[in-house]
Amino acid sequence: MNAQLKPESMAPMSGDKYQLTNLTTGKATELPTRTGSVGPAVLDIGGLLKDHGVFTYDPGFMSTASTASAITYIDGDAGVLLYRGYPIEQLAKHSTFLEVSYLLQKGELPDAAELAAFTRSITRHTMLNEWLLRLYRGFHHNAHPMAMVATIVASLAAFYHDTTNITNDRHREIFTHRMIAKIPTIAAAAYKHALGQPFIYPRNDLDYCANMLHMFFSVPCESYEMDALHAKALDLLFILHADHEQNASTSTVRLAGSTGCNPYTAMSAGVSALWGPAHGGANEAVVDMLEKIGDVSHVQDFLARVKDKSGGVRLMGFGHRVYKNFDPRATIIREMCHKVLGKLGQSNTPLFELALRLEEIALKDDYFISRKLYPNVDFYSGIIYRALGIPREMFTVMFAIARTAGWVAHWSEMIGDPTMKIARPRQLYTGAARRDYVPVAKR
Ligand code: ACO
């Protein structure tokens, strides 16, 4: 069958009409479009198999919306990111991570009483079951913290099965509060395990990020001296990383969750997907890369290797599937880097200077210009984490803590949708056609 899609304009907008024509039979069918609240409409191809006997083929979801969602909007050409309609720049300036978590979940900013109640609930859920803490002892001391976090998050399913009836609204709410509350504690326990230090219990008198720093850096014989700037910088990084519509890890959470599985196991799948260097693992890879480059004088050699492509070297922290102009989060983080490093007296660290120079040179280079490759959220985030004393192997864990707010919001939105279906992609089969089994002696 020859199928031809005839767009009447390049970007489908509300009211545009599309038709699919079978050039062999001449049969033409109008394809319905669906219109969102902002941005281009989408072609609804859900009936293609039934009406035309064909699937679409789109590896990597280059042109495919996997779901409708009301949580986050990105305009990649204009460098726009909105959480529930609010620009990321405004949230970064005025909001807090917990308020943003509430917004992502509920769709509206909380009033003072709602925010207080939400904060109280998150604060009261920060402890881990003592038996769960014992699971860490099964890990070797040099296990990667992302491996520990993915395992412990999945293990929550074994502890809270009595309150995880996903059809019950209240159970879903308890689940989301538990996840947001416990993920810093889970991360801190992984860090302490790797260090061989005793686990530090959460403190309810501290706010979300201050408590996290306390659990990371206090020891039983000495409390961590809290620097408010550190907690504020973390809070800002968490706001910027909280959600990013249907990215790989969020789509993983949705796909796993669409089976109706225990939601903690869906979150664990999200943590694992985030770990990859093409996704959240990039923040760790950026610092590795900068250290390998070592000095500004080696930047041109490094970029030549990137452009040569034969060695498979990429400029980590550059490029994005959706942003083809600039990543607004990178702009905010670069400013934050100047502020935080300035206040810590680390503005002139060779790593930061190298990153700035690398960005400057790459942005003038035709290879990056022609492919629309710009710094993404992870180009500078590792530099701030490092300045705050957070070790490199914990960078992606920090990302996971923040993205948990987005994962639970997307999971709740999906499970609460009465039209939800199990996500079950199809394939273009390229293997052997039917053939008969041959006994081993005759092969
Ligand atoms: N360095 C060098 N070249 C690159 C880079 C890069 N970082 N990113 C893309 N390219 C090139 C590709 O080689 C390709 O070139 P070609 O047209 O000559 O074949 C072109 O740009 C398009 O790249 P794709 O890989 O097809 O783009 P895609 O949208 O699939 O990938 C991704 C996006 C994975 C983010 C990619 O840009 C990348 O690997 N970046 C580095 C890793 C990174 O920073 N990841 C974090 C992303 S943000 C996040 O997840 C939090």
Side-chain angles (χ1 to χ4, degrees):
M1 172 189 273
N2 277 322
Q4 193 184 46
L5 188 66
K6 289 184 177 170
E8 286 170 7
S9 74
M10 280 311 285
M13 299 305 290
S14 171
D16 284 357
K17 287 193 174 16
Y18 285 76
Q19 74 174 29
L20 185 73
T21 308
N22 181 326
L23 294 177
T24 310
T25 63
K27 185 184 165 200
T29 311
E30 194 173 304
L31 286 177
T33 50
R34 293 187 61 175
T35 317
S37 44
V38 203
V42 298
L43 297 178
D44 184 345
I45 55 166
L48 274 189
L49 180 64
K50 187 163 66 64
D51 298 337
H52 292 273
V54 287
F55 301 125
T56 55
Y57 179 63
D58 184 18
F61 295 87
M62 299 297 289
S63 309
T64 299
S66 61
T67 186
S69 175
I71 300 174
T72 290
Y73 174 74
I74 303 173
D75 180 337
D77 291 325
V80 169
L81 169 61
L82 311 176
Y83 292 166
R84 298 286 191 180
Y86 294 102
I88 192 66
E89 293 81 2
Q90 291 182 20
L91 294 170
K93 196 163 178 195
H94 303 296
S95 191
T96 63
F97 175 65
L98 276 194
E99 186 180 60
V100 163
S101 303
Y102 181 101
L103 172 70
L104 290 171
Q105 185 69 34
K106 302 271 191 187
E108 296 298 335
L109 286 169
D111 63 23
E114 287 164 338
L115 183 59
F118 180 67
T119 306
R120 199 176 319 114
S121 176
I122 298 299
T123 309
R124 298 281 154 78
H125 277 108
T126 47
M127 295 224 307
L128 292 183
N129 185 301
E130 287 293 317
W131 290 97
L132 192 61
L133 276 177
R134 293 180 197 192
L135 284 183
Y136 286 87
R137 295 190 190 170
F139 291 109
H140 202 253
H141 67 90
N142 62 0
H144 195 287
M146 282 297 275
M148 291 192 249
V149 170
T151 308
I152 300 293
V153 168
S155 306
L156 292 171
F159 289 83
Y160 299 115
H161 40 80
D162 55 333
T163 45
T164 39
N165 171 4
I166 60 171
T167 62
N168 180 314
D169 289 350
R170 177 66 188 135
H171 283 201
R172 289 211 294 271
E173 185 170 68
I174 294 172
F175 156 74
T176 61
H177 290 200
R178 277 198 181 124
M179 269 312 304
I180 295 169
K182 292 186 196 305
I183 190 79
T185 319
I186 291 170
Y191 178 50
K192 289 298 193 188
H193 179 79
L195 284 179
Q197 287 182 0
F199 170 70
I200 298 293
Y201 286 90
R203 269 179 50 187
N204 286 2
D205 59 322
L206 296 175
D207 67 26
Y208 193 81
C209 287
N211 174 51
M212 211 192 70
L213 290 169
H214 153 73
M215 291 189 292
F216 270 53
F217 297 124
S218 287
V219 286
C221 39
E222 200 172 313
S223 262
Y224 170 66
E225 258 187 57
M226 193 67 60
D227 181 333
L229 175 71
H230 286 207
K232 190 161 170 24
L234 264 189
D235 201 75
L236 175 64
L237 285 171
F238 284 3
I239 291 173
L240 299 178
H241 283 92
D243 193 42
H244 216 225
E245 51 119 304
Q246 309 309 321
N247 59 86
S249 56
T250 303
S251 298
T252 301
V253 167
R254 279 186 176 261
L255 194 137
S258 78
T259 67
C261 67
N262 184 295
Y264 296 105
T265 60
M267 294 300 134
S268 169
V271 174
S272 302
L274 186 74
W275 194 1
H279 191 12
N283 51 16
E284 200 179 326
V286 167
V287 173
D288 281 343
M289 172 189 78
L290 292 172
E291 283 185 353
K292 271 189 202 131
I293 298 173
D295 187 80
V296 174
S297 62
H298 302 147
V299 165
Q300 292 294 4
D301 281 355
F302 174 75
L303 290 181
R305 285 203 291 132
V306 169
K307 292 190 282 184
D308 170 52
K309 282 174 179 262
S310 59
V313 181
R314 283 201 166 196
L315 176 50
M316 299 309 286
F318 255 66
H320 196 275
R321 172 61 63 77
V322 185
Y323 293 119
K324 299 299 174 197
N325 185 337
F326 66 96
D327 180 339
R329 303 166 302 172
T331 312
I332 300 172
I333 291 188
R334 194 198 300 104
E335 273 171 33
M336 187 73 186
C337 248
H338 281 291
K339 234 185 251 168
V340 173
L341 270 60
K343 283 207 179 147
L344 296 175
Q346 298 182 24
S347 297
N348 300 325
T349 57
L351 213 67
F352 185 41
E353 282 185 348
L354 179 55
L356 288 170
R357 189 79 185 111
L358 187 56
E359 178 190 1
E360 191 187 327
I361 295 173
L363 289 181
K364 286 185 191 142
D365 189 306
D366 189 54
Y367 175 93
F368 298 94
I369 296 170
S370 61
R371 289 172 180 79
K372 301 186 174 177
L373 301 171
Y374 295 87
N376 60 49
V377 69
D378 283 329
F379 193 66
Y380 287 105
S381 63
I383 294 174
I384 302 191
Y385 287 137
R386 217 171 109 113
L388 300 182
I390 291 163
R392 185 180 321 184
E393 57 284 3
M394 289 300 291
F395 291 176
T396 314
V397 173
M398 307 307 283
F399 194 159
I401 295 172
R403 188 52 59 83
T404 293
W407 291 333
V408 294
H410 280 271
W411 177 86
S412 300
E413 180 182 62
M414 180 186 69
I415 298 291
D417 176 357
T419 65
M420 181 192 93
K421 278 183 168 15
I422 183 171
R424 188 4 180 133
R426 302 302 298 263
Q427 64 171 7
L428 174 67
Y429 177 66
T430 57
R434 187 195 183 284
R435 48 185 168 166
D436 292 323
Y437 178 80
V438 180
V440 67
K442 293 195 175 169
R443 278 175 231 159

